[in-house]
């Protein structure tokens, strides 16, 4: 049975023995590569990498290298991929966390604009335009 993240967190902080937490919750820990995570998203959403890459406005070869695990994506590339999938804000934050990247932070103007774009289901091109209008780096420029 899959444990919620908050239930697992409660077990971790309330335990006096970390090994005991590991032993009793072995099935709750996830250690998958970002490429595997992206493939799972494709399966869950009935999409193929080519569709996501095109919507994400990422170079085709580079995008396939991300999906097959030969390239490690930057935070910005993951954000573009989130737009390519049409992910919600929560799913985008989970994608970033799963890759060890910082989540979007609403007090940063650039992140706030990206959050706005996600929430309003904007395309990558529309978000790029929005970022231009507020004079912050475009996706792919940081």
């Amino acid at each position: 049975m899959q444990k919620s993240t908050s239930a697992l967190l409660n077990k971790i902080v309330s335990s006096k023995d970390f090994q005991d937490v590991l032993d009793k919750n072995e099935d709750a820990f996830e250690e998958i590569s970002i490429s595997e995570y992206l493939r799972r998203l494709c399966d869950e959403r009935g999409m193929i990498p080519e569709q996501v890459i095109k919507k994400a406005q990422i170079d085709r070869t580079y995008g396939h290298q991300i999906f097959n695990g030969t390239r490690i994506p930057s935070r910005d590339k993951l954000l573009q991929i989130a737009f390519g999938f049409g992910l919600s804000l929560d799913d985008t934050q989970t994608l970033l966390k799963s890759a060890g990247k910082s989540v979007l932070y609403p007090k940063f103007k650039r992140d706030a604009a990206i959050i706005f774009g996600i929430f309003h289901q904007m395309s990558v091109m529309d978000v790029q335009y929005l970022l231009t209008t507020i004079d912050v780096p475009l996706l792919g420029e940081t």
Side-chain angles (χ1 to χ4, degrees):
M1 185 173 105
Q2 191 171 5
K3 292 179 176 61
S4 72
T5 304
S6 57
L8 181 59
L9 178 60
N10 286 336
K11 289 182 184 300
I12 292 167
V13 298
S14 65
S15 179
K16 301 224 184 280
D17 180 3
F18 185 65
Q19 189 60 51
D20 186 52
V21 173
L22 288 176
D23 293 343
K24 291 181 178 172
N25 300 281
E26 188 173 330
D27 62 329
F29 296 98
E30 293 182 9
E31 292 196 29
I32 63 169
S33 68
I34 191 62
S35 61
E36 176 60 28
Y37 187 83
L38 293 173
R39 285 191 296 274
R40 281 188 190 176
L41 280 176
C42 281
D43 290 345
E44 288 171 9
R45 295 170 180 275
M47 298 177 79
I48 60 171
E50 190 73 29
Q51 293 171 300
V52 178
I53 292 164
K54 187 173 183 177
K55 287 182 178 182
Q57 300 278 310
I58 296 173
D59 174 77
R60 186 175 179 268
T61 302
Y62 189 84
H64 282 287
Q65 289 171 340
I66 292 170
F67 274 84
N68 70 29
T70 58
R71 288 272 188 145
I72 304 297
S74 66
R75 181 179 187 257
D76 275 7
K77 288 297 180 219
L78 288 171
L79 289 168
Q80 286 178 255
I81 289 170
F83 281 102
F85 274 115
L87 297 181
S88 68
L89 180 58
D90 285 344
D91 289 341
T92 299
Q93 301 288 48
T94 300
L95 173 64
L96 292 170
K97 286 183 224 176
S98 72
K101 307 296 183 190
S102 60
V103 296
L104 291 165
Y105 185 57
K107 288 194 173 188
F108 294 151
K109 184 168 43 169
R110 182 175 187 262
D111 283 5
I114 295 167
I115 290 168
F116 181 88
I118 292 167
F119 187 78
H120 292 281
Q121 299 176 333
M122 295 169 73
S123 70
V124 170
M125 292 303 292
D126 290 336
V127 170
Q128 297 289 48
Y129 177 75
L130 178 60
L131 295 173
T132 300
T133 65
I134 62 170
D135 198 31
V136 296
L138 300 177
L139 288 171
E141 288 187 352
T142 60

